[in-house]
Amino acid sequence: MGKTFVYAGDTAIGAVLADNLVKAGYKAASGISDADVVFTFCATQTDLEDVYFDTEGLVQTAQKGAFLVDLSPSTPGFARELNAVSIVSELAAIEAPLAVRDVTVEHAYSDPENLICFVAGEEGDVAEILPMLKALAATVEPTGASGSAQLARAALTLNTALQLVSVMEADALCRASGASSSGAFRFAREQGFVTESAARLYAAVAEKRFVGEYTVRVCMAELTAALMAADDIDLILPGAEAGLHLLELLAIIGGTDMAVSSLSLVYGEESACAAQGLDWTRAEQAYGDGEADEDECDCGGHHHLDEYSGGFGGYSAN
């Protein structure tokens, strides 16, 4: 328990993670230059690059020999770059992207049992940081060399994101036809076609649970990182791109900080959206001329829906 730590990045998630480290017996340092370990979590790649590489970034301000532990969803390329720069700067970079087991619980990041952590870096460095990571996530999975943890995280992201969209669209189809989707989901689950995770998502939609720490903003960050990883190797992932477009639309109309189960509202009636504080006129303003304005929301994403035709456009028959 001798290592001190400090946190930099997204304050909402950071407060929860820092609290868990303190509960586990670790001491918070007074500042970055005094910390043995610096943890980071950022929701956008731009923020992440600024945190590390700005003129006052961590590679400049962290004390020699400190561990830089990045919990963000990023790309294998960025992880390898950070590792190379850290070695030159006499620092130890650890990539440790977090993944949430149950995205529907309100306090998704508060319970270590609900978190998985992929981890990559020099074997000795990983072994030294492992106890702290286990204070954050009950499951810590070493993946090997630099870049491998982010690759594993990206692969998981693609699976979970497409599952999210499939649950929303199956539910929307039933509802738009005037029928309850509960019977279809129950049958699919009994026959093994629906995973436990998908069943939890459906329950959150049915119960209108749209508040939680795992937000649309975080989901977009994960999916954007996965798409950037694919773009780095010239791979096109149309399913993932479509999923990101849907999340961007929800962010535009005001859902940035809502739980991902709120994606179901995009397929519903405008009155149901309004009841949850969502405003479709923002989408009309953003996409009415066929071009998205990235200033319309603070999600940090790149809004590039091809066009918006008013109402629910191509996303719903309502």
Side-chain angles (χ1 to χ4, degrees), residues 110-121:
S110 301
D111 182 5
E113 294 294 332
N114 196 42
L115 295 178
I116 300 169
C117 179
F118 299 103
V119 57

Side-chain angles (χ1 to χ4, degrees), residues 240-255:
E241 290 180 357
L244 182 58
H245 291 345
L246 283 168
L247 289 165
E248 288 174 337
L249 175 58
L250 177 56
I252 281 288
I253 64 176

Side-chain angles (χ1 to χ4, degrees), residues 81-97:
E81 178 185 2
L82 178 58
N83 182 63
V85 172
S86 296
I87 291 173
V88 173
S89 303
E90 299 180 51
L91 301 166
I94 304 287
E95 62 185 278

Side-chain angles (χ1 to χ4, degrees), residues 2-8 21 26 29 31-41 51-52 57-71 82-83 85-87 89-96 119-133 136:
K3 287 184 171 57
T4 61
F5 77 93
V6 73
Y7 175 86
L21 284 168
Y26 294 99
I32 290 171
S33 60
D34 300 316
D36 300 315
V37 184
V38 183
F39 288 94
T40 57
F41 183 98
V51 162
Y52 279 102
L58 295 177
V59 296
Q60 301 291 335
T61 56
Q63 65 173 319
K64 300 299 182 183
F67 292 86
L68 304 180
V69 184
D70 183 32
L71 307 171
L82 178 58
N83 182 63
V85 172
S86 296
I87 291 173
S89 303
E90 299 180 51
L91 301 166
I94 304 287
E95 62 185 278
V119 57
E122 293 297 324
E123 188 174 350
D125 295 337
V126 170
E128 200 165 340
I129 290 299
L130 208 57
M132 297 186 82
L133 292 177
L136 298 176

Side-chain angles (χ1 to χ4, degrees), residues 195-218:
T195 66
E196 192 68 30
S197 178
R200 289 194 293 261
L201 270 171
Y202 168 69
V205 170
E207 297 164 13
K208 295 181 173 57
R209 288 188 277 116
F210 301 139
V211 175
E213 289 176 348
Y214 185 84
T215 62
V216 169
R217 182 198 301 272
V218 175

Side-chain angles (χ1 to χ4, degrees), residues 38-223:
V38 183
F39 288 94
T40 57
F41 183 98
C42 295
T44 73
Q45 188 69 26
T46 299
D47 288 345
L48 189 61
E49 291 171 357
D50 288 345
V51 162
Y52 279 102
F53 300 135
D54 202 9
T55 53
E56 296 296 322
L58 295 177
V59 296
Q60 301 291 335
T61 56
Q63 65 173 319
K64 300 299 182 183
F67 292 86
L68 304 180
V69 184
D70 183 32
L71 307 171
S72 316
S74 184
T75 67
F78 177 84
R80 288 190 289 266
E81 178 185 2
L82 178 58
N83 182 63
V85 172
S86 296
I87 291 173
V88 173
S89 303
E90 299 180 51
L91 301 166
I94 304 287
E95 62 185 278
L98 292 175
V100 174
R101 289 184 181 276
D102 184 354
V103 301
T104 67
V105 297
E106 185 172 354
H107 301 292
Y109 287 91
S110 301
D111 182 5
E113 294 294 332
N114 196 42
L115 295 178
I116 300 169
C117 179
F118 299 103
V119 57
E122 293 297 324
E123 188 174 350
D125 295 337
V126 170
E128 200 165 340
I129 290 299
L130 208 57
M132 297 186 82
L133 292 177
K134 288 183 175 178
L136 298 176
T139 301
V140 179
E141 182 67 25
T143 57
S146 180
S148 62
Q150 290 294 353
L151 182 61
R153 181 68 187 89
L156 179 61
T157 294
L158 295 175
N159 278 289
T160 55
L162 294 181
Q163 178 178 257
L164 168 67
V165 174
S166 69
V167 168
M168 301 302 155
E169 298 197 342
D171 176 65
L173 176 64
C174 292
R175 286 190 290 113
S177 300
S180 170
S181 57
S182 59
F185 269 88
R186 183 172 58 253
F187 176 79
R189 186 179 181 187
E190 290 171 352
Q191 299 303 313
F193 291 104
V194 172
T195 66
E196 192 68 30
S197 178
R200 289 194 293 261
L201 270 171
Y202 168 69
V205 170
E207 297 164 13
K208 295 181 173 57
R209 288 188 277 116
F210 301 139
V211 175
E213 289 176 348
Y214 185 84
T215 62
V216 169
R217 182 198 301 272
V218 175
C219 189
M220 287 175 63
E222 294 174 352
L223 196 48

